[in-house]
Amino acid sequence: MITLTQSAQDKIKEVLAEEDPKARLRMYVQGGGCAGFSYGFTIDEEQNEDDFEIPAGSSSVLVDSMSIQYLQGAVVDYKDDLDGARFAITNP
């Protein structure tokens, strides 16, 4: 499945604290042309019937059924370093 580091879980909790109580982070994969796939994140208040719910500490992350196949075994981390603040995905 997908692993979320403690740093990622903490950031998700922080981001969602400013949103509606029903809001969750949605992670998705989209085609990126010549560069391959790209990853995206958005805030979503609705869970679709075919979504997967990934535990993230006291909250959860939604992933649609198409994206989940490209995220199997991925590790999601949150980094704040000289390159900036961002979610970083390591995908095998």
Side-chain angles (χ1 to χ4, degrees):
M1 207 40 145
I2 299 169
T3 302
L4 291 123
T5 66
Q6 188 63 51
S7 177
Q9 291 178 36
D10 292 345
K11 187 60 178 181
I12 291 167
K13 182 178 178 180
E14 179 185 325
V15 167
L16 293 178
E18 301 172 9
E19 300 293 331
D20 184 287
K22 293 186 267 183
R24 285 185 263 174
L25 188 71
R26 177 177 293 279
M27 181 170 50
Y28 59 91
V29 176
Q30 62 187 26
C34 296
F37 293 112
S38 62
Y39 303 98
F41 296 90
T42 187
I43 304 294
D44 201 337
E45 293 181 8
E46 293 186 29
Q47 181 173 357
N48 299 322
E49 197 172 296
D50 64 340
D51 284 341
F52 289 84
E53 190 170 4
I54 311 302
S58 61
S59 58
S60 61
V61 174
L62 299 176
V63 180
D64 64 84
S65 60
M66 188 170 152
S67 296
I68 195 78
Q69 63 187 324
Y70 300 107
L71 292 166
Q72 290 296 328
V75 176
V76 181
D77 193 14
Y78 182 77
K79 297 182 178 187
D80 190 356
D81 55 23
L82 294 174
D83 291 330
R86 69 209 175 278
F87 285 102
I89 300 174
T90 305
N91 201 342

